[in-house]
Amino acid sequence: MSTTVLTARALLLDMDGTLVNSDAVVERVWRRWADRHGLGDDVMEVVHGRQGYASMAVLLPHRPMEQNLADNARMLAEETADLDGVVPVPGACAFLASLRDVPHALVTSADAPLSTARMAAAGLALPGIRVTAESVGASKPDPEGFLKGAAELGVAPAECVVFEDSGAGIAAGRAAGMRVVGVGPRAAAHRPDVVVADLTAVRVEVVGERVRIHVTA
């Protein structure tokens, strides 16, 4: 194993797949949707990291966006009500606790009710600054969410490190001009700056106004 040290002033954290393992719910909800539209298991290659309407636009490119938005609203309600199998990613609780004195924000494609429900189900504290689906006009892989998170923290994008699990999220972090720590099995294929199996491999050290992120992979 080797250790990479990244220096930053702020951290921007995805939720699903990064802090919270919600794959069981995501797969249940999206497979039901796929069955209704005659689509196969390959939908799961698309849906992680994006807002639902954006995934639908990729999967059904000729369908009116109004239908995607309506389906997305229904699916968010389903996901918020279904918390069976939602658990923390290993190391997430200790990792978040280590950020007490570190500028950080949650940047998620979930809306506020879903992010609140999933973080609570996983036993994780919500960061004080949150950029959720309602906060942005464009879904990941657009960088808007990460850029907004950096702006709310008052930190330049180049001084931020993103933690992400999905291809869409990693692409969004890169497009925002940020370095990216990939978390979990989906991340490696999308070439983040460094990748870890889970958050037990990450240690945060505060040095003055800067943060050293020790990543063992």
Side-chain angles (χ1 to χ4, degrees):
M1 293 193 299
S2 62
T3 299
T4 300
V5 179
L6 302 175
T7 302
R9 288 188 56 217
L11 278 58
L12 300 174
L13 315 174
D14 175 52
M15 182 181 72
D16 292 300
T18 301
L19 299 173
V20 173
N21 183 342
S22 56
D23 283 1
V25 181
V26 172
E27 293 201 6
R28 281 196 295 272
V29 170
W30 276 99
R31 287 186 195 284
R32 287 197 297 268
W33 182 88
D35 287 345
R36 290 196 295 270
H37 295 280
L39 301 173
D41 288 348
D42 55 350
V43 299
M44 301 313 302
E45 301 296 320
V46 173
V47 301
H48 291 290
R50 292 179 171 87
Q51 291 190 44
Y53 75 86
S55 296
M56 294 170 196
V58 172
L59 294 163
L60 297 174
H62 302 298
R63 193 167 81 144
M65 183 56 71
E66 291 78 6
Q67 293 182 32
N68 295 339
L69 292 169
D71 267 7
N72 186 46
R74 285 190 290 268
M75 290 177 73
L76 283 170
E78 286 182 50
E79 290 184 87
T80 303
D82 183 356
L83 300 173
D84 186 25
V86 174
V87 296
V89 166
C93 186
F95 173 68
L96 285 171
S98 75
L99 302 184
R100 182 180 58 185
D101 298 320
V102 176
H104 66 286
L106 188 73
V107 181
T108 175
S109 293
D111 64 3
L114 179 57
S115 59
T116 300
R118 282 192 177 157
M119 291 288 280
L124 300 175
L126 275 168
I129 295 177
R130 299 181 289 276
V131 179
T132 58
E134 304 95 328
S135 308
V136 297
S139 171
K140 299 172 185 176
D142 191 282
E144 181 185 356
F146 287 124
L147 291 172
K148 184 164 187 177
E152 292 200 20
L153 291 170
V155 177
E159 295 277 13
C160 296
V161 169
V162 166
F163 283 73
E164 262 286 359
D165 72 299
S166 70
I170 291 168
R174 288 196 176 282
M178 301 172 183
R179 291 153 295 161
V180 182
V181 176
V183 180
R186 284 187 288 270
H190 304 287
R191 298 185 179 179
D193 292 273
V194 62
V195 64
V196 294
D198 56 48
L199 294 170
T200 62
V202 180
R203 180 173 65 86
V204 173
E205 175 189 16
V206 179
V207 182
E209 294 186 354
R210 304 190 70 76
V211 185
R212 289 179 185 162
I213 306 158
H214 300 259
V215 182
T216 302

